[in-house]
Amino acid sequence: MPLGAVRVNDGMVVRELGSARVLTASAFLVAFLMLFGGLGELSLAEPDEGRNAEVAREMWASGAWLVPSFDGLPYLDKPAFFFRSVALSFSLLGQSEAAARLPSALSGLATLALLFAFCRRCYDETTAALAVIVASTALLPFAFSRLVIMDAMLGSFVCASIFAAFLAEETAGRPRRLWYLASAAAAGFATLVKGPVGFLIPGLVILVFNLVEARRGSRRGALRRCFAPLNVLLFLAIVLPWFLGLCARQPDFFYYGLVEESFHRFTTGSFHRTQPFWFYLPVVFAGLFPWSLLLPESAVVAGRRRAGWSAADRLFVVWTVVVVIFFSLSHSKLAGYVLTAVVALAALTARVLALALEDPDSRAARILLRGAAAAALIFGLLAAALLLASRRPDLFSSDEHWSGLAGSFPPVAAGLALSGVAALAAWLRRNPRLAVAALSLLPFVLLTAGLGTARTVVESRSTKQLSDHIGPLPTSVELACLECFPESLPFYQQRAVVVVDRDGSPGALASNYLLFRWRRQGLKSPVLVDSSRLDAWIGERDRPVFLLGEGPVLERLRAVAARRGLSVAELVPGWWGVLIPARRSH
């Protein structure tokens, strides 16, 4: 949090850290390693990564850029922009986990570049470089920039829109108009990424911030200039061609997109993502970790000295509060919704770090060192717990999967212990520079020593191993799942998968739009089969069917196979399958 009016001098050389330019180069090196290091090392996680990658793969294969599809069915839960970017990555680099995650990583890098440029302009280069370090090593931005999910891309456009609107009022004349047009354009692209939230968040942040500034006697007329007709027209010129074109192709999207996906998601629990009102407080704290250890004391000190906040300080505070309150009021809550609030807090944290590095005897330095001491304690306790779990996994759980996971803990424990020792040394030596380095180590531990643990966790939630065991099935064989649907299986098999479920429901596809259509008017598709007529459907096939099922449907799967004189085989733990010949062969 901001500590007052004290400002790090522009162009200042941070003693013993080298020049601000060296710090900047180091910051972006850290960011590059965090965003792109080992990007394709892990399998696609279920459900979101597998589903989003498959939507993009189908878009690439079909060339249908307006209406995304999933398993061959229209998938309008989210706009097409993100999927198009992933499809473009596939066309350039081939279909792989790294290519699927690249647009998110590039979006994370764009957010860091925007944050750096804004902080350098409003503060100084040292603060800007430190903001990049904090934002790239905080857990939430680090994680979402490495997932096949649209939150990182949404965040980059939201940040661009808010920054541009703020900077517009720092200028006049034609530059001001251009900044506002840039803000409107960024809000338009954010809307193409994830719908109305793309303009609601920057709009609300800008609205509240300008109201706060107006009460202080500055930025009068900013709201009128921000929402001027030309800016609105540019926003509509970007959004309406997609929205109207999609409504022309899928007429029910007008109601679904505005009412079901937007209004009902915010006001009802129908999307089954309800959480307590306070849900985002621990999410933000964990998302900024380990830098969030500085937040409590920084917030108290900053509150006492709020009269000395700069306009940029107030923007970041308003931004954080508006985003957290807005999504806390929503009945649908996911961790990624507050990603940009963590970015805003990263900038405020960088203010504390810059002041601490400027004056090792300052209040900011004491806050940083106490945060390092807390980190040393937490890292040490975590290291001890992981080491104990690796040696005696039975003390925590008797589950076989847990035993396998616990075996990968020692490298993580060693990395955490190293981070804890560095943090403790920083506190003992009263060294703010070492404290910054120690707090930056955690994501490196996760990215290196923690890779084995992450692989164990992700592979337990991915179907890549299942797909590898099945192997490349001939195109003459139909692949079907009985009352289940692993979302990444179509991506790894590069084909549509028949879903055999109760009443022929698309519920296993985890698509709210498809469920909406099915409940309103039914949904007929060759990839949807009513499980009550499974035997009849198999009897109608003129080609072989490879039928898959998880443990809960094992007995039914065995019964289907037994009626044809066949037996099921365990493919990987928990998954079973049987190859049923074509009807002319049985």
Side-chain angles (χ1 to χ4, degrees):
M1 300 291 290
L3 294 183
V6 179
R7 184 180 174 88
V8 180
N9 296 326
D10 294 338
M12 165 186 168
V13 176
V14 180
R15 188 171 299 168
E16 298 180 7
L17 270 181
S19 68
R21 290 188 177 182
V22 172
L23 182 61
T24 296
S26 301
F28 277 99
L29 177 60
V30 168
F32 187 85
L33 291 173
M34 292 298 95
L35 296 176
F36 299 100
L39 197 60
E41 289 293 319
L42 302 179
S43 304
L44 298 177
E46 304 284 347
D48 293 327
E49 281 204 297
R51 180 173 58 249
N52 292 336
E54 173 58 13
V55 173
R57 187 198 68 80
E58 293 183 27
M59 182 177 285
W60 171 82
S62 67
W65 300 103
L66 182 61
V67 182
S69 66
F70 180 44
D71 205 34
L73 296 167
Y75 183 79
L76 304 185
D77 297 59
K78 296 293 182 290
F81 191 92
F82 175 77
F83 303 121
R84 293 173 77 170
S85 68
V86 178
L88 177 61
S89 181
F90 287 157
S91 68
L92 295 175
L93 304 174
Q95 295 173 36
S96 67
E97 290 90 345
R101 293 176 178 131
L102 183 60
S104 292
L106 291 174
S107 297
L109 183 62
T111 299
L112 295 176
L114 290 166
L115 182 64
F116 175 82
F118 182 83
C119 289
R120 182 172 62 176
R121 178 165 180 156
C122 294
Y123 301 125
D124 54 72
E125 187 166 351
T126 297
T127 303
L130 290 168
V132 170
I133 291 176
V134 174
S136 62
T137 57
L139 292 184
L140 200 67
F142 166 70
F144 277 90
S145 295
R146 300 175 61 87
L147 294 173
V148 191
I149 198 166
M150 53 280 300
D151 294 86
M153 184 174 288
L154 172 68
S156 66
F157 285 121
V158 167
C159 289
S161 181
I162 294 172
F163 288 150
F166 177 91
L167 293 175
E169 290 299 317
E170 301 291 302
T171 60
R174 186 169 182 270
R176 172 179 284 173
R177 291 194 297 272
L178 292 177
W179 277 119
Y180 272 132
L181 288 173
S183 177
F189 285 114
T191 304
L192 293 183
V193 172
K194 210 170 181 180
V197 71
F199 68 83
L200 285 174
I201 292 305
L204 282 173
V205 170
I206 294 164
L207 172 66
V208 175
F209 172 71
N210 282 324
L211 289 175
V212 169
E213 293 300 288
R215 292 189 63 181
R216 294 175 55 88
S218 61
R219 291 181 175 245
R220 297 189 182 278
L223 287 177
R224 173 179 51 81
R225 292 187 291 272
C226 180
F227 298 102
L230 183 59
N231 302 333
V232 175
L233 285 174
L234 178 60
F235 170 82
L236 294 176
I238 293 172
V239 173
L240 282 184
W242 158 74
F243 183 76
L244 296 179
L246 193 52
C247 289
R249 291 283 299 276
Q250 304 284 148
D252 59 358
F253 178 72
F254 183 87
Y255 176 84
Y256 174 80
L258 295 180
V259 179
E260 292 290 329
E261 182 65 25
S262 300
F263 182 72
H264 285 172
R265 177 184 288 271
F266 188 87
T267 59
T268 73
S270 60
F271 285 75
H272 308 293
R273 292 171 178 168
T274 54
Q275 297 290 347
F277 180 81
W278 47 263
F279 172 73
Y280 284 115
L281 294 180
V283 167
V284 169
F285 190 87
L288 190 64
F289 191 82
W291 306 102
S292 53
L293 296 173
L294 312 182
L295 279 182
E297 188 176 358
S298 296
V300 171
V301 175
R304 292 171 180 169
R305 303 182 182 180
R306 59 185 177 274
W309 293 358
S310 69
D313 292 336
R314 290 192 293 273
L315 171 69
F316 287 125
V317 172
V318 167
W319 187 342
T320 302
V321 172
V322 167
V323 169
V324 171
I325 290 179
F326 177 81
F327 286 113
S328 295
L329 293 172
S330 172
H331 283 259
S332 180
K333 295 181 175 68
L334 289 174
Y337 293 173
V338 292
L339 177 60
T340 64
V342 173
V343 173
L345 285 173
L348 294 174
T349 303
R351 294 278 280 135
V352 178
L353 300 183
L355 293 170
L357 295 179
E358 179 188 17
D359 182 4
D361 296 321
S362 65
R363 179 66 179 270
R366 293 194 295 274
I367 291 173
L368 173 58
L369 292 172
R370 280 192 281 268
L377 177 62
I378 293 171
F379 292 166
L381 291 174
L382 286 175
L386 290 176
L387 192 59
L388 177 62
S390 68
R391 294 179 179 274
R392 292 290 307 277
D394 56 294
L395 293 177
F396 297 85
S397 173
S398 59
D399 185 81
E400 292 183 5
H401 293 292
W402 167 255
S403 298
L405 179 63
S408 66
F409 287 167
V412 185
L416 285 170
L418 176 63
S419 302
V421 168
L424 180 61
W427 179 65
L428 292 174
R429 297 177 60 184
R430 321 307 294 170
N431 190 328
R433 295 173 301 150
L434 183 56
V436 172
L439 292 176
S440 302
L441 279 177
L442 180 62
F444 282 103
V445 171
L446 299 178
L447 196 60
T448 53
L451 189 60
T453 301
R455 183 176 288 110
T456 302
V457 172
V458 170
E459 286 182 354
S460 69
R461 301 186 61 193
S462 175
T463 52
K464 187 171 191 261
Q465 285 186 324
L466 173 63
S467 179
D468 289 344
H469 190 92
I470 295 171
L473 291 173
T475 55
S476 59
V477 177
E478 288 189 86
L479 182 58
C481 290
L482 178 58
E483 296 184 9
C484 61
F485 185 77
E487 279 85 349
S488 58
L489 188 60
F491 176 81
Y492 285 119
Q493 284 288 316
Q494 298 192 23
R495 60 159 70 208
V497 176
V498 176
V499 180
V500 183
D501 208 354
R502 297 178 183 87
D503 302 319
S505 164
L509 295 173
S511 167
N512 295 311
Y513 171 73
L514 292 177
L515 281 173
F516 163 77
R517 284 193 61 182
W518 181 72
R519 288 166 180 161
R520 281 173 63 104
Q521 60 193 47
L523 188 63
K524 301 294 183 182
S525 170
V527 300
L528 297 176
V529 175
D530 188 335
S531 60
S532 65
R533 60 180 307 272
L534 173 59
D535 286 304
W537 177 78
I538 293 175
E540 297 166 357
R541 301 299 93 193
D542 58 2
R543 52 182 181 157
V545 174
F546 195 95
L547 185 62
L548 291 173
E550 286 186 281
V553 298
L554 175 57
E555 291 308 314
R556 184 170 183 192
L557 195 63
R558 283 175 171 163
V560 171
R563 284 194 288 272
R564 290 158 179 81
L566 304 170
S567 60
V568 300
E570 188 174 27
L571 305 172
V572 295
W575 284 93
W576 302 75
V578 58
L579 179 62
I580 303 174
R583 61 182 178 182
R584 61 177 176 271
S585 302
H586 58 76

